[in-house]
Amino acid sequence: QVPLVESGGGSVQTGDSLTLSCEASVDAFSMSAVGWFRQARGKEREFVAAISSGGSTIYADSLKDRFTVSRDNGKKTAALQMNNLLPEDTAVYYCAVGLRGRSATALTMKIWKVYTFWGQGTQVTVYS
């Protein structure tokens, strides 16, 4: 069973909005942080946003005014609301689950290597 499944990606115009969803089949979902990362073609994976098990959120500085991360522990889902999309937001977006409890800090949640479970990614393409 695939631990995480992302959906909601697509092709949009500059200024449009998209909401990405992440459905988890991970038993410890409610106790773990959820991170969102993206990787553009030819570039390294970068941190986008994360939400701890307790609901604390952090964002990449350049994205915090346009993106919002949320989660629903009862449904084992997380979402990334993206507004006013720009061509530079074009990338494959991944959700990840890991970092239980207090291990999820503002520093650790930004590090993709510490997450245990990953989805397959969903493509977001923004046209100018």
Side-chain angles (χ1 to χ4, degrees):
Q1 189 174 14
V2 179
L4 301 172
V5 178
E6 301 100 335
S7 61
S11 298
V12 297
Q13 299 293 321
T14 297
D16 286 350
S17 297
L18 277 177
T19 299
L20 306 183
S21 297
C22 177
E23 297 187 31
S25 58
V26 178
D27 289 340
F29 178 84
S30 64
M31 298 182 288
S32 305
V34 177
W36 287 92
F37 296 81
R38 68 185 184 184
Q39 188 165 18
R41 184 173 298 180
K43 295 186 177 181
E44 295 185 353
R45 190 174 312 186
E46 65 172 345
F47 171 74
V48 173
I51 182 167
S52 71
S53 58
S56 298
T57 58
I58 58 169
Y59 299 89
D61 288 342
S62 62
L63 302 175
K64 61 184 178 181
D65 293 333
R66 298 188 292 120
F67 288 16
T68 302
V69 61
S70 61
R71 67 188 295 162
D72 184 330
N73 288 336
K75 296 181 179 179
K76 287 191 175 181
T77 60
L80 182 68
Q81 171 71 38
M82 306 184 294
N83 297 324
N84 191 23
L85 284 162
L86 304 170
E88 50 262 45
D89 294 320
T90 295
V92 177
Y93 285 72
Y94 300 89
C95 68
V97 170
L99 294 172
R100 294 193 185 189
R102 294 182 179 181
S103 65
T105 67
L107 176 62
T108 60
M109 287 197 286
K110 295 181 179 179
I111 305 171
W112 69 266
K113 293 182 179 180
V114 303
Y115 287 85
T116 306
F117 302 100
W118 288 84
Q120 82 289 352
T122 186
Q123 175 72 46
V124 172
T125 302
V126 185
Y127 294 101
S128 58

